[in-house]
Amino acid sequence: MEPIEDLDVLSEDEVRQREAGAGSDDEDLDRVEHGYEEAAGAKQVYIETYGCQMNVADSGVVASVLEDSGYGLTQDQDEADVVLLNTCAIRENAEQKIRTRLGMLRAEKEKRDGELMMGVLGCMAERLREKLLEQEDLVDVVVGPDAYRDLPRLLYEADSRKPSGQAAVNVELSKQETYEDIQPVRYDSNGVSAYVSIMRGCDNMCTFCVVPFTRGRESSRPVTTILSEVAQLAEEGYKEVTLLGQNVNSYHYTDDDTSVTFAELVDRVSRVSPEMRVRYSTSHPKDCTDALLKVHRDRPNVCNYIHLPVQHGNTEVLDRMRRTYTREEYLALIERGRELCPGVSFSTDIIAGFCGEAEEQHQDTLSLMREVRYDHAYMFKYSERPQTYAARKLEDDVPDDVKQRRLEEIIGLQNRHSKESNEEEIGRIHTVLVEGASKKSDEQLFGRTDTNKGVVFDREDYEQGDYVKVRIEDCTSSTLLGTALEKTTLEEAARTDSITAAPAAA
Ligand code: SAH
Ligand code: SF4
Ligand code: F3S
């Protein structure tokens, strides 16, 4: 069998062509007429989610589509008639994890004499398409991220083809599909914070990244449907929304009557309820505007936290990555953010060992980290992905042991910065939104500060969903430990914070 990495996959141009023709097959999916509901019967579906927050949000869409056509949802794999893996393809080890999992499910399917249906959804499905079936003959459906409305039909088809076992596949990408009308099922949510998808796809084509190939072109969801989803969440008692997209700050929705930028969208979302915190992920430095920074400054419920992936600290490497900013421009942006929003917290993503990275260039990443002093970072070893420009045109020439050592240096430095940044919090008072019990003890609660730092404190009479004023007493490199002072509201906290801040500002 062909090794997966050698598979012939689509080029950038082919992706564009496929998208040009996709999204137009408005096939009538009247489930009753087609008998999809009968196919569903009393079948129970178990969904397992890998990868980024977009996939978590998409699993909610999948659950909603399936529930609407008669399937039940279960959190217990042993009860399931259908197991769906919503997959990630961002790095080789993400795909390896799925292959290992499929191996385990193969045994489960054999134990049940083939009576378990299996689906691979998401980015790995999109990347490998039919090739996945050559590798994994136990898979019954392969569904890309823009084809989830078609799942009932695909499951029906795969089911009716049993026992011959030919799989049903839909991996068409669509510039139109934003699932704007689907209320996602939030079956694994804590009831306090929710993801709201605002756009899909990515047009950036960073040279290392597979996402533009697995998710297709960028498209923005209509603003009214976003606002009504947030309003509905507020009504259900949610206290925090995270607006999601691969590059949220290039959000731009236009129709005959409206033209809304990301800064305007965040502003409007923040006005749905004063008690709803607003976050977003992920933002690209090239689109982080003054207008957006001012929304952070002016709207008390827009969190003082920005995830701003830098990827690298050397301009030449950034250029090879096609990130479209220089080291100096990035640093100027951080400075501008701190000037407009004092106390703003930054986190980042960093890649170690990209093609052609010289030792001094790696040192530039470390020195940039020292200049910025991120509160948190996600750090990765470069992993070559088929189809990408880097895989086709650049040489993955940093030996693995060197990549590993550089990554460890980056992680070591970040751990020091995280610890020091947490130590500076000792003695401060934060407004913490309680997400639930802490991992270690039911007697303690876990929540987050406005700046996205995790805090643990004694439960007393406080509850999930409360805003609590907490004084920070101690910390580890990842968590703050505090004492609860009193319950509060976001509006109240904003008022008292501005009173406390006033003398310093004067
Ligand atoms: N859209 C987001 C990132 C999505 S992927 C953004 O642009 O910020 C999340 C992170 O995975 C990236 O920021 C990058 O740091 C990392 N990543 C992406 N492709 C990678 C690769 N081929 N090897 C290693 N890390 C990668
Ligand atoms: Fe990938 Fe770059 Fe798009 Fe992020 S902005 S998803 S890193 S191509
Ligand atoms: Fe992975 Fe796809 Fe997200 S590749 S990181 S699940 S967009």
Side-chain angles (χ1 to χ4, degrees):
M1 221 181 288
E2 258 178 312
I4 287 257
E5 290 308 303
D6 289 340
L7 293 174
D8 174 29
V9 281
L10 295 182
S11 70
E12 284 176 30
D13 284 348
E14 284 169 316
V15 167
R16 308 262 192 250
Q17 273 166 18
R18 225 170 62 192
E19 281 160 346
S24 51
D25 69 327
D26 262 342
E27 196 181 331
D28 176 14
L29 290 184
D30 182 343
R31 290 142 195 151
V32 178
E33 201 180 297
H34 286 86
Y36 303 151
E37 270 189 355
E38 279 161 42
K43 285 200 181 92
Q44 297 288 307
V45 182
Y46 173 75
I47 308 174
E48 211 165 84
T49 308
Y50 297 81
C52 64
Q53 297 157 329
M54 287 298 295
N55 262 11
V56 176
D58 280 2
S59 288
V61 168
V62 168
S64 174
V65 166
L66 290 176
E67 216 173 34
D68 275 359
S69 70
Y71 289 87
L73 300 173
T74 174
Q75 308 248 32
D76 180 356
Q77 188 206 304
D78 294 336
E79 277 180 10
D81 307 287
V82 182
V83 172
L84 302 176
L85 303 186
N86 194 0
T87 62
C88 174
I90 198 80
R91 286 168 289 275
E92 172 54 24
N93 59 8
E95 292 197 358
Q96 201 45 51
K97 213 191 270 178
I98 306 292
R99 289 195 198 101
T100 308
R101 186 70 182 109
L102 285 170
M104 289 158 70
L105 287 165
R106 177 186 297 280
E108 181 66 24
K109 189 164 181 167
E110 279 163 11
K111 209 164 76 193
R112 298 211 220 161
D113 291 331
E115 280 307 315
L116 178 67
M117 288 190 76
M118 298 230 341
V120 176
L121 321 181
C123 292
M124 194 173 164
E126 188 64 46
R127 188 176 91 70
L128 293 169
R129 301 163 296 133
E130 287 85 355
K131 305 279 183 190
L132 192 61
L133 304 170
E134 292 163 22
Q135 301 272 320
E136 307 289 350
D137 55 6
L138 74 164
V139 175
D140 301 287
V141 292
V142 176
V143 191
D146 287 350
Y148 295 145
R149 287 180 203 266
D150 201 16
L151 250 169
R153 183 186 70 82
L154 294 164
L155 286 170
Y156 169 81
E157 301 239 312
D159 197 42
S160 60
R161 285 175 197 162
K162 277 197 318 202
S164 76
Q166 200 196 346
V169 180
N170 185 345
V171 287
E172 281 190 18
L173 291 171
S174 157
K175 179 120 174 74
Q176 280 75 42
E177 182 59 275
T178 58
Y179 301 116
E180 70 276 5
D181 54 326
I182 294 181
Q183 279 286 339
V185 173
R186 299 180 197 277
Y187 61 96
D188 58 355
S189 140
N190 57 13
V192 176
S193 36
Y195 294 135
V196 174
S197 172
I198 63 159
M199 62 186 301
R200 301 185 68 81
C202 183
D203 283 351
N204 285 333
M205 290 287 181
C206 301
T207 57
F208 52 81
C209 183
V210 77
V211 170
F213 302 93
T214 64
R215 296 251 164 194
R217 301 300 301 273
E218 208 166 89
S219 56
S220 295
R221 179 179 169 185
V223 65
T224 49
T225 68
I226 298 170
L227 293 173
S228 62
E229 188 173 332
V230 175
Q232 168 85 28
L233 287 164
E235 214 163 278
E236 289 169 18
Y238 281 84
K239 296 289 180 61
E240 181 178 88
V241 288
T242 302
L243 309 178
L244 285 186
Q246 286 305 339
N247 180 15
V248 280
N249 41 15
S250 71
Y251 175 92
H252 199 164
Y253 181 73
T254 25
D255 62 21
D256 293 345
D257 315 312
T258 31
S259 170
V260 178
T261 64
F262 183 59
E264 288 159 354
L265 177 73
V266 176
D267 182 76
R268 287 173 71 173
V269 168
S270 77
R271 290 171 198 278
V272 170
S273 159
E275 292 305 308
M276 180 77 96
R277 272 187 174 170
V278 183
R279 301 186 188 278
Y280 56 83
S281 185
T282 296
S283 44
H284 192 296
K286 79 173 164 57
D287 301 314
C288 186
T289 58
D290 263 15
L292 180 60
L293 294 171
K294 284 178 185 162
V295 174
H296 280 273
R297 179 192 66 189
D298 297 340
R299 301 293 306 150
N301 56 336
V302 175
C303 289
N304 216 13
Y305 164 70
I306 308 180
H307 182 62
L308 201 59
V310 68
Q311 312 298 357
H312 208 276
N314 174 275
T315 297
E316 206 181 295
V317 178
L318 286 170
D319 189 44
R320 271 207 295 286
M321 288 177 159
R322 212 188 276 157
R323 288 293 288 184
T324 70
Y325 49 84
T326 63
R327 173 191 174 98
E328 290 68 32
E329 284 163 351
Y330 182 90
L331 287 171
L333 178 58
I334 295 279
E335 205 179 303
R336 182 77 179 139
R338 288 184 170 149
E339 188 184 306
L340 283 177
C341 318
V344 64
S345 167
F346 285 108
S347 61
T348 199
D349 292 351
I350 293 177
I351 298 179
F354 185 59
C355 307
E357 184 194 64
E359 194 57 35
E360 315 82 74
Q361 294 175 324
H362 162 62
Q363 292 301 326
D364 285 344
T365 293
L366 297 172
S367 75
L368 179 132
M369 291 171 72
R370 284 190 204 96
E371 282 198 43
V372 177
R373 298 183 70 81
Y374 295 104
D375 285 327
H376 184 72
Y378 299 90
M379 298 154 284
F380 313 101
K381 218 168 29 165
Y382 172 58
S383 163
E384 186 176 273
R385 309 309 292 135
Q387 295 167 275
T388 58
Y389 179 88
R392 290 182 289 114
K393 301 281 163 77
L394 305 174
E395 200 184 336
D396 182 14
D397 53 359
V398 179
D400 194 62
D401 57 334
V402 176
K403 276 186 192 168
Q404 184 63 31
R405 194 253 305 151
R406 290 178 185 170
L407 177 65
E408 283 165 16
E409 286 174 11
I410 290 168
I411 293 174
L413 182 60
Q414 182 54 46
N415 285 347
R416 278 207 297 286
H417 288 164
S418 300
K419 181 87 197 295
E420 283 162 17
S421 151
N422 279 354
E423 280 165 357
E424 282 165 19
E425 300 287 358
I426 295 174
R428 289 186 188 154
I429 295 169
H430 278 283
T431 304
V432 172
L433 172 59
V434 179
E435 292 180 13
S438 90
K439 272 193 203 129
K440 289 199 184 130
S441 159
D442 243 16
E443 295 306 303
Q444 292 195 307
L445 293 173
F446 173 87
R448 282 177 193 282
T449 65
D450 185 51
T451 49
N452 208 32
K453 289 189 171 180
V455 185
V456 170
F457 59 95
D458 286 344
R459 177 184 287 270
E460 299 173 48
D461 292 328
Y462 301 107
E463 291 174 4
Q464 200 171 36
D466 284 349
Y467 285 108
V468 181
K469 289 234 173 244
V470 178
R471 190 178 56 235
I472 308 305
E473 315 281 7
D474 202 354
C475 69
T476 66
S477 65
S478 58
T479 313
L480 302 174
L481 310 167
T483 305
L485 302 178
E486 60 177 341
K487 194 170 151 171
T488 184
T489 63
L490 261 197
E491 275 188 307
E492 169 68 20
R495 247 193 328 270
T496 51
D497 287 352
S498 62
I499 292 165
T500 335

